[in-house]
Amino acid sequence: MTRLIPLLALVLFVSACKLPNPYSPPSQPQPVPGGGPTLPPAQEPQPPVESMPEPEPVPEPSMPPPGREYQLGSASRSLVNQAHAQMEGGNFVGAAGSIERALRIEPNNPLLWIELGRVRQAEGNYAQAENLGRKALSLATGDPRAQSSAWYLIADSLRARGHAPQARDAEDRAEALTPR
């Protein structure tokens, strides 16, 4: 007990001392080492808030304005062509890898999601092909051609799993979007 009293006194003494916060700016100019004159820190002039124009939003490059069609960029087009050749050779894993590389370049392009869905469909993974078609559909706003392709992918996937009525509904939606 007698050891705790000096320790307690020391703790109270230290807590009573006000130490400056090293993270707050000094309220008074600090002396310069070497004894030179002390100057207040320089502050940059700030322009008035009203004079700063609002930046205009920049549209994403793969999102076309309504009424326009999605296109593949040259790198993505090359990767899709490579994937088609890989699929013809039965290399579905390689084809999926090529499309996934293209998706890293253009992640919001529904045409690439449709292509990946076609690869999954060729592998026999119809549920994933349907999901990829639905992903493409969610991205294809304003592009009836891409929406139609997505609905056809969904219809084919549903039909392959024995869901004929739902497949027919999806096909009807695709046909309604197809220009005549």
Side-chain angles (χ1 to χ4, degrees):
M1 179 73 171
T2 57
R3 288 186 188 178
L4 290 177
I5 293 175
L7 182 61
L8 184 60
L10 179 63
V11 169
L12 289 173
F13 176 75
V14 169
S15 65
C17 296
K18 176 157 173 43
L19 298 174
N21 184 352
Y23 300 106
S24 65
S27 58
Q28 297 292 325
Q30 299 296 314
V32 176
T38 59
L39 299 174
Q43 293 189 3
E44 300 259 339
Q46 298 293 324
V49 175
E50 296 80 37
S51 68
M52 295 181 67
E54 286 291 320
E56 292 187 28
V58 179
E60 292 187 32
S62 62
M63 298 293 286
R68 303 221 13 216
E69 293 184 357
Y70 279 89
Q71 302 289 322
L72 293 177
S74 60
S76 295
R77 190 173 326 116
S78 175
L79 287 165
V80 167
N81 290 338
Q82 179 180 343
H84 288 174
Q86 290 167 323
M87 281 181 58
E88 287 175 14
N91 182 1
F92 301 121
V93 173
S98 295
I99 300 297
E100 287 167 356
R101 280 194 300 268
L103 279 166
R104 284 193 288 278
I105 297 168
E106 297 183 63
N108 293 325
N109 192 325
L111 302 178
L112 293 173
W113 291 101
I114 292 166
E115 289 292 336
L116 185 57
R118 289 181 181 149
V119 172
R120 297 301 181 213
Q121 198 168 42
E123 290 176 321
N125 191 342
Y126 303 114
Q128 189 173 17
E130 178 189 350
N131 289 337
L132 292 166
R134 292 189 186 281
K135 168 76 174 180
L137 192 59
S138 72
L139 293 171
T141 305
D143 186 350
R145 182 183 55 92
Q147 290 174 337
S148 177
S149 294
W151 278 116
Y152 278 121
L153 174 64
I154 293 167
D156 292 342
S157 299
L158 287 167
R159 188 173 292 106
R161 292 185 310 176
H163 302 290
Q166 294 94 335
R168 186 64 205 150
D169 289 343
E171 207 166 65
D172 289 345
R173 289 178 178 223
E175 289 171 2
L177 290 163
T178 305
R180 308 230 184 262

